Amino acid sequence: MPAISFEFYPPKTDEQRAQLDRTAEKLKVYAPDYVSCTFGAGGSTLSYTSETVRHLHQHHGFESVPHLSCVGGSREEIRELLRLYRALGCRRVVALRGDLPSGMGFTGDLRYASELIAFIRSEHGDYFHIEVGAYPETHPQADDALTDLKHFKAKVDAGADGAITQYFYNPDAYFHFVDQVRKAGVEIPIIPGIMPISNFTQLRRFSEACGAEIPRWIGKRMQAFGDDAEAVRDFGADVVAGLCERLVAGGAPGLHFYTLNLAKPTQAVLSRLNVAR
Ligand code: FAD
């Protein structure tokens, strides 16, 4: 049975909070190893993540894991957040560079995720289990795949314990990436990030921005379904469940679901995999 984890974003309104509570209740049946909560650089969004992490742990009983990005933040701000997460009982963090929101001038004290990991280790030793991002289809800003791989290895050398990938729909991209990092001497688990498909138009837009490829055959089938939302959902769930099966059969040690705070698309995939526990 692969390890399962769910990713949520921090709700900002009462309506969004109620939706996250409903989603969390529905996904509990899958007994995730942990749930994680994303983090947006800058200003008031900082506290939404910590509030959500606290709520998911105290109200829902999950091991609750904050994402933490360094872009746009000072060492002192990051130090404060780490203290807060430690006080909340968090033992695991997802450490990222993040992306600077447009118009934000200060780029931050730490430039890359590898520097953030080194900072966490220097402040807290081995206290936190650190997950990092990995890009089987190459990070969109990387000069080339090999340089990106070198930068990924730098995060592991700085102290990362595990990695979660950007989502992808071509399992060979994952298997090739894992092969390459193993050849480079990296031994940490690489957990595939899984994006269930619900709104295809939104997914296509988002995928262009983050450099995730949607295979042509999937795009063409989706196009053919047009406004038939049920057909889109069923086909999307079949495709993603098939992807998960291939990944697990090929040795993926877990599955990390990008839920977008919705239960149904993730449930549709998991119900096809028969992994209720
Ligand atoms: P890095 O590993 O620092 O790499 C960023 C880029 O810089 C890459 O192109 C890399 O090749 C290059 N690079 C690295 N080191 C060097 C160096 N020394 N010299 C030159 N170039 C270098 N974003 C958020 O804002 N909030 C979130 O909560 C969040 N959660 C995420 C969760 C997961 C699992 C993943 C995969 C991504 C997440 N992201 C999140 C998105 C992420 O922040 C972006 O993809 C961001 O652009 C890169 O972050 P990173 O930690 O992978 O960066």
Side-chain angles (χ1 to χ4, degrees):
M1 181 77 69
I4 284 177
S5 50
F6 297 125
E7 182 172 311
F8 300 123
Y9 66 83
K12 300 197 175 102
T13 63
D14 286 346
E15 198 180 318
Q16 287 179 355
R17 274 186 272 275
Q19 183 188 35
L20 177 58
D21 279 336
R22 286 193 300 272
T23 296
E25 283 301 331
K26 287 180 187 155
L27 294 180
K28 257 178 210 169
V29 61
Y30 298 105
D33 287 53
Y34 67 86
V35 300
S36 77
C37 181
T38 61
F39 179 86
S44 60
T45 61
L46 299 185
S47 62
Y48 288 119
T49 298
S50 56
E51 275 167 27
T52 307
V53 162
R54 186 202 307 263
H55 181 74
L56 287 166
H57 177 59
Q58 292 180 354
H59 185 77
H60 292 285
F62 291 124
E63 179 183 349
S64 182
V65 175
H67 292 210
L68 179 61
S69 69
C70 57
V71 80
S74 67
R75 277 193 182 76
E76 198 43 49
E77 280 168 337
I78 295 168
R79 185 173 283 130
E80 267 310 302
L81 272 174
L82 289 168
R83 267 195 217 122
L84 172 65
Y85 291 139
R86 213 169 152 153
L88 287 176
C90 301
R91 296 300 306 253
R92 189 192 287 252
V93 293
V94 183
L96 303 142
R97 182 196 69 176
D99 294 307
L100 210 57
S102 56
M104 197 164 158
F106 177 53
T107 54
D109 285 339
L110 306 169
R111 281 170 311 165
Y112 297 109
S114 54
E115 294 176 14
L116 173 61
I117 295 151
F119 180 73
I120 299 172
R121 288 286 177 237
S122 73
E123 298 265 312
H124 292 277
D126 285 338
Y127 183 83
F128 289 109
H129 176 107
I130 303 178
E131 299 283 350
V132 293
Y135 301 84
E137 295 179 335
T138 307
H139 185 267
Q141 288 158 5
D143 290 340
D144 59 70
L146 291 181
T147 313
D148 204 30
L149 202 67
K150 225 172 61 194
H151 294 147
F152 175 72
K153 187 170 184 305
K155 296 196 276 195
V156 180
D157 294 342
D161 297 296
I164 304 167
T165 75
Q166 180 58 280
Y167 67 89
F168 54 86
Y169 295 101
N170 176 359
D172 289 338
Y174 171 82
F175 292 128
H176 182 72
F177 179 78
V178 173
D179 260 10
Q180 294 293 299
V181 299
R182 297 291 178 245
K183 279 182 189 142
V186 169
E187 287 173 6
I188 62 168
I190 315 279
I191 309 285
I194 305 295
M195 180 70 90
I197 301 174
S198 51
N199 179 334
F200 189 67
T201 311
Q202 193 185 34
L203 178 70
R204 194 160 38 198
R205 211 175 324 119
F206 191 50
S207 301
E208 272 163 26
C210 69
E213 188 183 61
I214 300 181
R216 182 179 161 84
W217 67 274
I218 298 179
K220 287 288 178 193
R221 286 290 290 274
M222 288 295 183
Q223 216 176 358
F225 293 136
D227 293 336
D228 187 346
E230 203 182 318
V232 168
R233 274 198 305 271
D234 280 351
F235 175 67
D238 287 344
V239 165
V240 176
L243 171 70
C244 293
E245 273 166 0
R246 285 191 59 189
L247 291 168
V248 172
L255 300 168
H256 178 82
F257 285 86
Y258 295 108
T259 69
L260 305 180
N261 292 9
L262 301 171
K264 273 191 188 151
T266 295
Q267 280 176 314
V269 174
L270 285 170
S271 65
R272 283 163 168 77
L273 294 177
N274 200 19
V275 290
R277 333 188 222 193

